[in-house]
Amino acid sequence: MTNDVGIIERLKNHFAEGLETVTSIDQPTVIVPRGQLLAFAEHLKSVEGYVMFNDVLVVDWFPARPRFEVVYQVYQPETRQRFRFKSFVDESESMPTMTGVWAGANWPEREAFDLFGVVFDGHPDLTRIYLPDDWEGHPLRKDYPTGGNRID
Amino acid sequence: MGLNSAQKEVERGILLTTVDKMSHWAQKSSVWPATFGLACCAIEMMSVTSSRYDLARFGSEAFRASPRQADLMIVAGRVSQKMAPVLRTIWEQMPEPKWVISMGACASSGGVFDNYAIIQGVDHVVPVDVYVPGCPPSPEALMFGILKLREKIQMGLPPKYQEVAMARGGAS
């Protein structure tokens, strides 16, 4: 697996402002402003050919603001290259959904909502995927209690 | 003299017992577990029925896929909050009298999984008769637990859920 070394240069030329390169040892990584995220994703899929969506990951930087770092992993199956882009969002804000671009984003985004409480605007069915429907809170947040329930 | 010896001959072939003892013996000799493996403990539970350990010697090798045909539930592994209602339903579907073995550290106390997702001991969900320690317990340990349960049945002690009901003062 080789990395697409020129992609960050091309993306920076296309999106005049806002993209921030992140030093990374494994694959090209950029930070995208939340407002540009959808246009960026469309471009990545249709022009660069990253047609496969791998996962959404969330990092909770509590108590820093904005709190959540949302990480997207995508894959270009023809050249077998991977690409990562990130964006930041706070508790009170919401992310645009990627389901319109990659249908495979549906369940990973539900997982991110279930465990971190990140809201994805426009998601077709943003409900809990792992935990019971009546669960309170989002367990992977840093301010969620780590111990188990004490019933005795 | 002739009659006496004939009587002795007959008595040698008769075993006297009580109906209770007899039914307990029958009960303990065919404790059928429900197929209910939750985690790695289930691997040890499976091996206890295989040829090396051969649980068939004690009549418990028949794991039933339907709770209606089982009278022992071996909780083999950690129970998540989401699994708890399912486990409770399966236990309720088992015909009485029924017994529960909590196998391993996770089922008994939550084990290393001291977190939001795991029930800290399955006795919060169903009444447990025998706890088997270990992580995971070896097949010998589980077998020892089953033998203890057999002793309990032979002694005529009520299953834990009946004990609880009696302690609460209600009919069992």
Side-chain angles (χ1 to χ4, degrees), chain A residues 2 4 21 25 60-61 69 80-82 108 114 119 144:
Chain A
T2 52
D4 189 347
T21 316
I25 56 163
D60 185 1
W61 290 108
E69 178 182 5
R80 283 176 262 163
Q81 288 162 335
R82 290 174 195 281
D114 192 357
V119 177
Y144 195 88

Side-chain angles (χ1 to χ4, degrees), chain A residues 7-26:
Chain A
I7 188 170
I8 291 182
E9 213 47 48
R10 290 202 302 281
L11 287 171
K12 277 200 160 168
N13 287 338
H14 190 268
F15 294 92
E17 57 196 53
L19 293 201
E20 188 187 324
T21 316
V22 181
T23 333
S24 159
I25 56 163
D26 51 354

Side-chain angles (χ1 to χ4, degrees), chain B:
Chain B
M1 189 73 180
L3 182 70
N4 217 352
S5 73
Q7 195 175 351
K8 274 182 182 158
E9 197 62 36
V10 167
E11 277 176 359
R12 208 186 296 169
I14 293 179
L15 189 67
L16 289 177
T17 181
T18 64
V19 176
D20 268 0
K21 260 189 190 165
M22 177 78 185
S23 69
H24 291 152
W25 170 80
Q27 229 160 31
K28 77 156 191 185
S29 304
S30 62
V31 181
W32 286 3
T35 307
F36 199 62
L38 288 169
C40 33
C41 277
I43 305 296
E44 307 296 316
M45 183 176 75
M46 285 178 241
S47 90
V48 86
T49 60
S50 63
S51 51
R52 184 170 187 127
Y53 297 97
D54 196 16
L55 194 60
R57 288 176 290 163
F58 309 115
S60 296
E61 84 287 3
F63 278 76
R64 307 317 289 185
S66 162
R68 306 279 186 207
Q69 300 167 348
D71 39 22
L72 168 64
M73 174 184 256
I74 302 177
V75 184
R78 66 259 183 294
V79 183
S80 66
Q81 304 271 1
K82 206 173 180 178
M83 198 61 182
V86 181
L87 183 135
R88 176 78 193 186
T89 306
I90 290 179
W91 179 80
E92 278 169 2
Q93 284 173 339
M94 284 161 53
E96 294 186 33
K98 52 196 170 188
W99 294 272
V100 177
I101 290 182
S102 164
M103 178 183 181
C106 300
S108 303
S109 70
V112 294
F113 301 104
D114 183 9
N115 63 29
Y116 66 94
I118 304 298
I119 301 265
Q120 302 297 304
V122 72
D123 44 10
H124 293 305
V125 186
V126 290
V128 176
D129 292 279
V130 177
Y131 296 85
V132 181
C135 184
S138 60
E140 291 96 331
L142 178 61
M143 196 177 283
F144 184 72
I146 293 173
L147 290 178
K148 281 288 165 200
L149 183 71
R150 284 162 57 95
E151 276 176 34
K152 183 176 171 176
I153 299 170
Q154 182 63 74
M155 281 192 281
L157 297 174
K160 184 71 180 177
Y161 70 94
Q162 285 181 4
E163 209 181 302
V164 171
M166 278 186 270
R168 281 183 188 149
S172 64

